[in-house]
Amino acid sequence: MPPHFFVSLPAPSLSLLPPPTTTISLSLSSLSPPPPPTNRGRTTTVRSSMEDRRRSRVSLFPPLPHRDLMLDVISAVDSRLSPHLLPSSVPSDVLSFRNPTGSSLGSLDIRRGSPASSVDFMLESWLHCRLPTGALDITTLLAFLNGSTDAPHLMMELIQASPTALVLLLDLLPRKDLPLHQHYLDDFYHRTQLDRQRQQLESLPQVRPYRSPSLYVRSIFSPTAVAVAVDCGEGAESVMEDIVRARLGSVAREYVRVWSDECACSTKQMEASETAHMRRRDGLIKAKAIEIDLSANLPRLFGPDVSNRVVAEIQKAFGEQR
């Protein structure tokens, strides 16, 4: 089972084919802009420098169809949250890491929310693993909010086993028991019409619903979560490129827009008991993410020294909840 946050997949049976040459570019200009920073010029320069460093790190990974999509989505979320995030303190040997043989590559970056913001952290993770049964690429984006709001977290993960097969997980992770909080269900999931995005995606002949073998994993998703497997068939790289660009890109853009408009940087007055319950729920989800996948599987791919460094940085972000 590969190391990732919210899905358990068997090792891929297909070897990684030569990468496609088409570059995919997804425009996310329709997202709501972040509040204007105090020093716009300096903030823009810092963000541009961070973006350059991110693209430099990611250039070491295979140029699969989903890479540019994830880069654009991460950049859009980073731009939205940037005024509310602290600079990254992740050490260089966790920003980029590999196993001794070079068969597994990884990159992890985490930015914590500033003390006055409602952002807990933003995490991006890139993994490329050459396994005996084939190659696997996993890219994860998490944007978690803290106890000053009950708005959902944002989660997006793409798992690609070949240029023509991938799994997409995309959701606004609920932080309340939806049957007990009808207004929460209405505000974030019904009124936003997110389920239309899932329905349109699942109508494609190459797309089928994906069901995690873990009942626990399924239990934390919302009713409008996108959890799909895309299989275009051997030799259909161009079809996959079109689906990633036109369909997955459109769905991802809408989910990020809704989260940016309705959830990011929001605040809400809550009873102390309600806040405590929500924080406990958040903490359990974080702990399970480490327990189920990371601690068990990273050592197999990267060895104990590298995996310990990576898990320690994630635990630091997950454990310092506000």
Side-chain angles (χ1 to χ4, degrees), residues 60-112:
L60 301 175
F61 294 82
L64 296 173
H66 80 263
R67 189 178 75 175
D68 287 334
L69 166 60
M70 287 299 293
L71 277 170
D72 285 345
V73 169
I74 290 171
S75 178
V77 175
D78 187 47
S79 178
R80 177 67 176 92
L81 297 182
S82 189
H84 310 280
L85 294 173
L86 298 173
S88 172
S89 60
V90 174
S92 59
D93 58 1
V94 175
L95 282 171
S96 294
F97 54 93
R98 65 178 64 210
N99 66 358
T101 65
S103 61
S104 294
L105 308 175
S107 175
L108 173 74
D109 197 10
I110 303 171
R111 295 182 66 188
R112 301 302 311 277

CSV table of all heavy atoms in Angstrom, one decimal, residues 60-112:
chain,number,residue,atom,x,y,z
A,60,LEU,N,11.7,17.6,-11.2
A,60,LEU,CA,12.5,16.3,-11.0
A,60,LEU,C,11.5,15.1,-11.2
A,60,LEU,O,12.0,14.0,-11.4
A,60,LEU,CB,13.1,16.2,-9.7
A,60,LEU,CG,14.1,17.3,-9.3
A,60,LEU,CD1,14.6,17.2,-7.9
A,60,LEU,CD2,15.3,17.3,-10.3
A,61,PHE,N,10.2,15.4,-11.2
A,61,PHE,CA,9.2,14.3,-11.3
A,61,PHE,C,8.8,14.1,-12.7
A,61,PHE,O,8.9,15.0,-13.5
A,61,PHE,CB,8.0,14.6,-10.4
A,61,PHE,CG,8.3,14.6,-8.9
A,61,PHE,CD1,8.9,15.7,-8.3
A,61,PHE,CD2,8.1,13.5,-8.1
A,61,PHE,CE1,9.2,15.7,-7.0
A,61,PHE,CE2,8.4,13.5,-6.8
A,61,PHE,CZ,8.9,14.6,-6.2
A,62,PRO,N,8.3,12.9,-13.1
A,62,PRO,CA,7.9,12.7,-14.5
A,62,PRO,C,6.8,13.7,-14.9
A,62,PRO,O,5.9,13.9,-14.1
A,62,PRO,CB,7.3,11.2,-14.4
A,62,PRO,CG,8.0,10.6,-13.3
A,62,PRO,CD,8.2,11.7,-12.2
A,63,PRO,N,6.8,14.2,-16.1
A,63,PRO,CA,5.8,15.2,-16.5
A,63,PRO,C,4.5,14.5,-17.0
A,63,PRO,O,4.1,14.5,-18.1
A,63,PRO,CB,6.5,15.8,-17.7
A,63,PRO,CG,7.4,14.8,-18.3
A,63,PRO,CD,7.9,14.0,-17.1
A,64,LEU,N,3.9,13.8,-16.0
A,64,LEU,CA,2.6,13.2,-16.3
A,64,LEU,C,1.5,14.2,-16.5
A,64,LEU,O,1.6,15.4,-16.1
A,64,LEU,CB,2.2,12.2,-15.2
A,64,LEU,CG,3.2,11.0,-15.0
A,64,LEU,CD1,2.9,10.2,-13.8
A,64,LEU,CD2,3.2,10.1,-16.2
A,65,PRO,N,0.4,13.8,-17.1
A,65,PRO,CA,-0.7,14.8,-17.4
A,65,PRO,C,-1.2,15.6,-16.2
A,65,PRO,O,-1.6,16.8,-16.3
A,65,PRO,CB,-1.8,13.9,-18.0
A,65,PRO,CG,-1.1,12.8,-18.6
A,65,PRO,CD,0.1,12.5,-17.7
A,66,HIS,N,-1.2,15.0,-15.0
A,66,HIS,CA,-1.8,15.6,-13.9
A,66,HIS,C,-0.8,16.6,-13.2
A,66,HIS,O,-1.3,17.4,-12.4
A,66,HIS,CB,-2.3,14.6,-12.8
A,66,HIS,CG,-1.2,14.1,-11.9
A,66,HIS,ND1,-0.6,12.9,-12.2
A,66,HIS,CD2,-0.6,14.6,-10.8
A,66,HIS,CE1,0.3,12.7,-11.2
A,66,HIS,NE2,0.3,13.7,-10.4
A,67,ARG,N,0.4,16.6,-13.6
A,67,ARG,CA,1.4,17.5,-12.9
A,67,ARG,C,1.1,19.0,-13.0
A,67,ARG,O,1.1,19.7,-12.0
A,67,ARG,CB,2.8,17.2,-13.3
A,67,ARG,CG,3.9,17.9,-12.5
A,67,ARG,CD,5.3,17.6,-12.9
A,67,ARG,NE,5.6,18.3,-14.1
A,67,ARG,CZ,6.9,18.3,-14.7
A,67,ARG,NH1,7.8,17.5,-14.1
A,67,ARG,NH2,7.1,19.0,-15.7
A,68,ASP,N,0.8,19.4,-14.2
A,68,ASP,CA,0.6,20.9,-14.4
A,68,ASP,C,-0.8,21.2,-13.8
A,68,ASP,O,-0.9,22.4,-13.3
A,68,ASP,CB,0.6,21.2,-15.9
A,68,ASP,CG,2.0,21.2,-16.4
A,68,ASP,OD1,2.9,21.4,-15.6
A,68,ASP,OD2,2.2,21.0,-17.6
A,69,LEU,N,-1.7,20.3,-13.8
A,69,LEU,CA,-3.0,20.6,-13.1
A,69,LEU,C,-2.8,20.8,-11.6
A,69,LEU,O,-3.3,21.8,-11.1
A,69,LEU,CB,-4.0,19.4,-13.3
A,69,LEU,CG,-5.2,19.4,-12.4
A,69,LEU,CD1,-6.1,20.6,-12.6
A,69,LEU,CD2,-6.0,18.1,-12.7
A,70,MET,N,-2.0,20.0,-11.0
A,70,MET,CA,-1.8,20.1,-9.5
A,70,MET,C,-1.0,21.4,-9.2
A,70,MET,O,-1.2,22.0,-8.2
A,70,MET,CB,-1.1,18.9,-9.0
A,70,MET,CG,-2.0,17.7,-8.9
A,70,MET,SD,-3.5,17.9,-7.8
A,70,MET,CE,-2.7,18.1,-6.2
A,71,LEU,N,0.0,21.7,-10.1
A,71,LEU,CA,0.8,22.9,-9.9
A,71,LEU,C,-0.1,24.1,-9.9
A,71,LEU,O,0.0,25.0,-9.1
A,71,LEU,CB,1.9,23.0,-10.9
A,71,LEU,CG,3.2,22.2,-10.7
A,71,LEU,CD1,4.0,22.2,-12.0
A,71,LEU,CD2,3.9,22.8,-9.5
A,72,ASP,N,-1.0,24.2,-10.9
A,72,ASP,CA,-1.9,25.3,-11.0
A,72,ASP,C,-2.9,25.4,-9.8
A,72,ASP,O,-3.2,26.5,-9.3
A,72,ASP,CB,-2.7,25.3,-12.3
A,72,ASP,CG,-1.8,25.7,-13.5
A,72,ASP,OD1,-0.7,26.2,-13.2
A,72,ASP,OD2,-2.2,25.4,-14.6
A,73,VAL,N,-3.4,24.3,-9.4
A,73,VAL,CA,-4.4,24.3,-8.2
A,73,VAL,C,-3.6,24.7,-7.0
A,73,VAL,O,-4.1,25.5,-6.2
A,73,VAL,CB,-5.0,22.9,-8.1
A,73,VAL,CG1,-5.7,22.8,-6.7
A,73,VAL,CG2,-5.9,22.6,-9.2
A,74,ILE,N,-2.5,24.1,-6.7
A,74,ILE,CA,-1.7,24.5,-5.5
A,74,ILE,C,-1.3,26.0,-5.6
A,74,ILE,O,-1.4,26.7,-4.5
A,74,ILE,CB,-0.4,23.6,-5.4
A,74,ILE,CG1,-0.8,22.2,-5.1
A,74,ILE,CG2,0.5,24.1,-4.4
A,74,ILE,CD1,0.3,21.2,-5.2
A,75,SER,N,-0.9,26.5,-6.7
A,75,SER,CA,-0.6,27.9,-6.8
A,75,SER,C,-1.8,28.8,-6.5
A,75,SER,O,-1.6,29.8,-5.9
A,75,SER,CB,0.0,28.2,-8.2
A,75,SER,OG,0.3,29.5,-8.4
A,76,ALA,N,-3.0,28.4,-7.0
A,76,ALA,CA,-4.2,29.2,-6.8
A,76,ALA,C,-4.5,29.2,-5.3
A,76,ALA,O,-4.9,30.2,-4.7
A,76,ALA,CB,-5.3,28.6,-7.6
A,77,VAL,N,-4.5,28.0,-4.6
A,77,VAL,CA,-4.8,28.0,-3.2
A,77,VAL,C,-3.7,28.8,-2.4
A,77,VAL,O,-4.0,29.5,-1.5
A,77,VAL,CB,-4.8,26.5,-2.7
A,77,VAL,CG1,-5.0,26.5,-1.2
A,77,VAL,CG2,-6.0,25.8,-3.4
A,78,ASP,N,-2.4,28.6,-2.8
A,78,ASP,CA,-1.4,29.3,-2.1
A,78,ASP,C,-1.6,30.8,-2.3
A,78,ASP,O,-1.4,31.6,-1.3
A,78,ASP,CB,0.0,28.9,-2.7
A,78,ASP,CG,1.2,29.5,-2.0
A,78,ASP,OD1,1.2,29.4,-0.7
A,78,ASP,OD2,2.1,30.0,-2.6
A,79,SER,N,-2.0,31.3,-3.4
A,79,SER,CA,-2.2,32.7,-3.7
A,79,SER,C,-3.3,33.2,-2.8
A,79,SER,O,-3.3,34.3,-2.3
A,79,SER,CB,-2.5,32.9,-5.2
A,79,SER,OG,-2.8,34.3,-5.4
A,80,ARG,N,-4.4,32.4,-2.7
A,80,ARG,CA,-5.6,32.8,-1.9
A,80,ARG,C,-5.2,32.9,-0.4
A,80,ARG,O,-5.6,33.8,0.3
A,80,ARG,CB,-6.7,31.8,-2.1
A,80,ARG,CG,-7.9,32.1,-1.2
A,80,ARG,CD,-8.6,33.3,-1.6
A,80,ARG,NE,-9.8,33.6,-0.9
A,80,ARG,CZ,-9.9,34.3,0.2
A,80,ARG,NH1,-8.8,34.8,0.8
A,80,ARG,NH2,-11.0,34.5,0.9
A,81,LEU,N,-4.4,32.0,0.1
A,81,LEU,CA,-4.1,31.9,1.5
A,81,LEU,C,-2.8,32.7,1.9
A,81,LEU,O,-2.5,32.9,3.1
A,81,LEU,CB,-3.9,30.5,2.0
A,81,LEU,CG,-5.1,29.5,1.8
A,81,LEU,CD1,-4.8,28.2,2.4
A,81,LEU,CD2,-6.3,30.1,2.6
A,82,SER,N,-2.0,33.0,0.9
A,82,SER,CA,-0.6,33.6,1.2
A,82,SER,C,-0.6,34.7,2.2
A,82,SER,O,0.3,34.7,3.1
A,82,SER,CB,0.0,34.0,-0.1
A,82,SER,OG,1.4,34.3,0.1
A,83,PRO,N,-1.5,35.7,2.2
A,83,PRO,CA,-1.5,36.7,3.3
A,83,PRO,C,-1.7,36.2,4.7
A,83,PRO,O,-1.4,36.9,5.6
A,83,PRO,CB,-2.6,37.7,2.9
A,83,PRO,CG,-2.8,37.4,1.4
A,83,PRO,CD,-2.6,35.9,1.2
A,84,HIS,N,-2.2,34.9,4.8
A,84,HIS,CA,-2.5,34.4,6.1
A,84,HIS,C,-1.6,33.2,6.5
A,84,HIS,O,-1.9,32.5,7.4
A,84,HIS,CB,-4.0,33.9,6.1
A,84,HIS,CG,-4.9,34.9,5.5
A,84,HIS,ND1,-5.4,35.9,6.3
A,84,HIS,CD2,-5.5,35.0,4.3
A,84,HIS,CE1,-6.2,36.7,5.6
A,84,HIS,NE2,-6.3,36.2,4.4
A,85,LEU,N,-0.5,33.0,5.7
A,85,LEU,CA,0.4,31.9,6.0
A,85,LEU,C,1.8,32.4,6.4
A,85,LEU,O,2.2,33.5,5.9
A,85,LEU,CB,0.6,31.1,4.7
A,85,LEU,CG,-0.6,30.3,4.2
A,85,LEU,CD1,-0.3,29.6,2.9
A,85,LEU,CD2,-1.1,29.2,5.2
A,86,LEU,N,2.4,31.7,7.3
A,86,LEU,CA,3.8,32.0,7.6
A,86,LEU,C,4.7,31.4,6.6
A,86,LEU,O,4.4,30.5,5.9
A,86,LEU,CB,4.1,31.4,9.0
A,86,LEU,CG,3.3,31.9,10.2
A,86,LEU,CD1,3.6,31.1,11.4
A,86,LEU,CD2,3.5,33.4,10.4
A,87,PRO,N,6.0,31.9,6.5
A,87,PRO,CA,6.9,31.2,5.6
A,87,PRO,C,7.2,29.8,6.0
A,87,PRO,O,7.1,29.4,7.1
A,87,PRO,CB,8.2,32.1,5.8
A,87,PRO,CG,7.7,33.4,6.3
A,87,PRO,CD,6.5,33.0,7.2
A,88,SER,N,7.5,29.0,5.0
A,88,SER,CA,7.8,27.6,5.2
A,88,SER,C,9.1,27.4,6.1
A,88,SER,O,10.0,28.1,5.9
A,88,SER,CB,8.0,26.8,3.9
A,88,SER,OG,8.5,25.5,4.1
A,89,SER,N,9.0,26.5,7.0
A,89,SER,CA,10.2,26.2,7.9
A,89,SER,C,10.6,24.8,7.6
A,89,SER,O,11.4,24.3,8.4
A,89,SER,CB,9.9,26.5,9.3
A,89,SER,OG,8.8,25.6,9.8
A,90,VAL,N,10.1,24.2,6.6
A,90,VAL,CA,10.5,22.8,6.3
A,90,VAL,C,12.0,22.7,5.8
A,90,VAL,O,12.4,23.5,5.0
A,90,VAL,CB,9.6,22.2,5.2
A,90,VAL,CG1,10.1,20.8,4.8
A,90,VAL,CG2,8.1,22.1,5.7
A,91,PRO,N,12.8,21.8,6.4
A,91,PRO,CA,14.2,21.8,6.1
A,91,PRO,C,14.4,21.3,4.6
A,91,PRO,O,13.5,20.6,4.1
A,91,PRO,CB,14.8,20.8,7.1
A,91,PRO,CG,13.6,20.0,7.6
A,91,PRO,CD,12.4,20.9,7.5
A,92,SER,N,15.5,21.6,4.1
A,92,SER,CA,15.8,21.3,2.7
A,92,SER,C,15.8,19.8,2.4
A,92,SER,O,15.4,19.4,1.3
A,92,SER,CB,17.1,21.9,2.2
A,92,SER,OG,18.2,21.3,3.0
A,93,ASP,N,16.1,19.0,3.4
A,93,ASP,CA,16.2,17.5,3.2
A,93,ASP,C,14.8,16.9,3.3
A,93,ASP,O,14.6,15.7,3.2
A,93,ASP,CB,17.2,16.8,4.1
A,93,ASP,CG,16.9,17.0,5.6
A,93,ASP,OD1,15.9,17.7,5.9
A,93,ASP,OD2,17.7,16.5,6.4
A,94,VAL,N,13.8,17.7,3.5
A,94,VAL,CA,12.4,17.2,3.5
A,94,VAL,C,11.7,17.9,2.3
A,94,VAL,O,10.8,17.3,1.7
A,94,VAL,CB,11.6,17.5,4.8
A,94,VAL,CG1,10.2,17.2,4.7
A,94,VAL,CG2,12.3,16.7,5.9
A,95,LEU,N,12.1,19.1,2.0
A,95,LEU,CA,11.5,19.7,0.8
A,95,LEU,C,11.8,18.9,-0.5
A,95,LEU,O,11.0,18.8,-1.4
A,95,LEU,CB,12.1,21.1,0.5
A,95,LEU,CG,11.6,22.3,1.4
A,95,LEU,CD1,12.5,23.5,1.2
A,95,LEU,CD2,10.2,22.6,1.0
A,96,SER,N,12.9,18.2,-0.5
A,96,SER,CA,13.3,17.3,-1.5
A,96,SER,C,14.0,16.1,-0.9
A,96,SER,O,15.0,16.3,-0.1
A,96,SER,CB,14.2,17.9,-2.6
A,96,SER,OG,13.5,18.9,-3.3
A,97,PHE,N,13.6,14.9,-1.2
A,97,PHE,CA,14.2,13.7,-0.6
A,97,PHE,C,14.1,12.5,-1.6
A,97,PHE,O,13.2,12.5,-2.5
A,97,PHE,CB,13.6,13.4,0.8
A,97,PHE,CG,12.1,13.2,0.8
A,97,PHE,CD1,11.5,12.0,0.6
A,97,PHE,CD2,11.2,14.3,0.9
A,97,PHE,CE1,10.1,11.8,0.6
A,97,PHE,CE2,9.9,14.2,0.9
A,97,PHE,CZ,9.3,12.9,0.8
A,98,ARG,N,14.9,11.5,-1.4
A,98,ARG,CA,14.9,10.3,-2.2
A,98,ARG,C,15.5,9.2,-1.4
A,98,ARG,O,16.1,9.4,-0.4
A,98,ARG,CB,15.7,10.5,-3.5
A,98,ARG,CG,17.1,10.7,-3.3
A,98,ARG,CD,17.8,10.9,-4.6
A,98,ARG,NE,17.4,12.1,-5.4
A,98,ARG,CZ,17.3,12.2,-6.7
A,98,ARG,NH1,17.7,11.1,-7.4
A,98,ARG,NH2,16.9,13.3,-7.3
A,99,ASN,N,15.2,8.0,-1.9
A,99,ASN,CA,15.8,6.8,-1.2
A,99,ASN,C,17.2,6.6,-1.7
A,99,ASN,O,17.6,7.2,-2.7
A,99,ASN,CB,15.0,5.6,-1.4
A,99,ASN,CG,14.9,5.1,-2.8
A,99,ASN,OD1,15.4,5.7,-3.7
A,99,ASN,ND2,14.2,4.0,-3.0
A,100,PRO,N,18.1,5.7,-1.1
A,100,PRO,CA,19.5,5.6,-1.5
A,100,PRO,C,19.6,5.2,-3.0
A,100,PRO,O,20.6,5.6,-3.6
A,100,PRO,CB,20.0,4.5,-0.6
A,100,PRO,CG,19.1,4.6,0.7
A,100,PRO,CD,17.8,5.0,0.1
A,101,THR,N,18.7,4.4,-3.5
A,101,THR,CA,18.9,4.0,-4.9
A,101,THR,C,18.3,5.0,-5.9
A,101,THR,O,18.5,4.8,-7.1
A,101,THR,CB,18.2,2.6,-5.1
A,101,THR,OG1,16.7,2.8,-4.9
A,101,THR,CG2,18.7,1.6,-4.1
A,102,GLY,N,17.6,6.0,-5.5
A,102,GLY,CA,17.0,6.9,-6.4
A,102,GLY,C,15.7,6.4,-7.0
A,102,GLY,O,15.1,7.1,-7.9
A,103,SER,N,15.2,5.3,-6.6
A,103,SER,CA,13.9,4.7,-7.2
A,103,SER,C,12.7,5.4,-6.7
A,103,SER,O,11.6,5.3,-7.3
A,103,SER,CB,13.9,3.2,-7.0
A,103,SER,OG,13.8,2.9,-5.6
A,104,SER,N,12.8,6.1,-5.5
A,104,SER,CA,11.7,6.8,-5.0
A,104,SER,C,12.1,8.3,-4.7
A,104,SER,O,13.1,8.5,-4.1
A,104,SER,CB,11.2,6.2,-3.7
A,104,SER,OG,10.7,4.9,-3.9
A,105,LEU,N,11.3,9.2,-5.2
A,105,LEU,CA,11.5,10.6,-5.0
A,105,LEU,C,10.4,11.3,-4.3
A,105,LEU,O,9.2,10.8,-4.5
A,105,LEU,CB,11.7,11.4,-6.4
A,105,LEU,CG,12.7,10.8,-7.4
A,105,LEU,CD1,12.7,11.6,-8.7
A,105,LEU,CD2,14.1,10.8,-6.8
A,106,GLY,N,10.7,12.3,-3.5
A,106,GLY,CA,9.6,12.9,-2.8
A,106,GLY,C,9.9,14.4,-2.5
A,106,GLY,O,11.0,14.9,-2.6
A,107,SER,N,8.8,15.2,-2.3
A,107,SER,CA,8.9,16.6,-1.9
A,107,SER,C,7.7,16.9,-1.0
A,107,SER,O,6.6,16.5,-1.3
A,107,SER,CB,8.9,17.5,-3.2
A,107,SER,OG,8.8,18.8,-2.8
A,108,LEU,N,8.0,17.5,0.1
A,108,LEU,CA,7.0,17.9,1.0
A,108,LEU,C,7.2,19.4,1.5
A,108,LEU,O,8.3,19.7,1.8
A,108,LEU,CB,7.0,17.0,2.3
A,108,LEU,CG,6.1,17.4,3.4
A,108,LEU,CD1,4.7,17.1,3.1
A,108,LEU,CD2,6.5,16.7,4.7
A,109,ASP,N,6.2,20.2,1.4
A,109,ASP,CA,6.2,21.5,1.9
A,109,ASP,C,5.0,21.8,2.8
A,109,ASP,O,3.9,21.4,2.4
A,109,ASP,CB,6.4,22.5,0.8
A,109,ASP,CG,6.9,23.9,1.3
A,109,ASP,OD1,7.3,24.0,2.5
A,109,ASP,OD2,6.8,24.9,0.5
A,110,ILE,N,5.2,22.5,3.9
A,110,ILE,CA,4.1,22.8,4.8
A,110,ILE,C,4.2,24.3,5.2
A,110,ILE,O,5.3,24.7,5.6
A,110,ILE,CB,4.1,21.9,6.0
A,110,ILE,CG1,4.0,20.5,5.6
A,110,ILE,CG2,2.9,22.3,6.9
A,110,ILE,CD1,4.2,19.5,6.8
A,111,ARG,N,3.1,25.0,5.1
A,111,ARG,CA,3.1,26.4,5.6
A,111,ARG,C,2.0,26.5,6.7
A,111,ARG,O,0.9,26.2,6.4
A,111,ARG,CB,2.9,27.4,4.5
A,111,ARG,CG,4.0,27.4,3.5
A,111,ARG,CD,3.8,28.5,2.4
A,111,ARG,NE,3.8,29.8,3.0
A,111,ARG,CZ,3.4,30.9,2.3
A,111,ARG,NH1,3.0,30.8,1.0
A,111,ARG,NH2,3.5,32.1,2.8
A,112,ARG,N,2.4,27.0,7.9
A,112,ARG,CA,1.5,27.2,8.9
A,112,ARG,C,0.7,28.5,8.8
A,112,ARG,O,1.2,29.4,8.2
A,112,ARG,CB,2.2,27.1,10.3
A,112,ARG,CG,2.9,25.8,10.6
A,112,ARG,CD,2.1,24.6,10.5
A,112,ARG,NE,0.8,24.8,11.3
A,112,ARG,CZ,0.8,24.6,12.6
A,112,ARG,NH1,1.8,24.2,13.3
A,112,ARG,NH2,-0.4,24.8,13.3
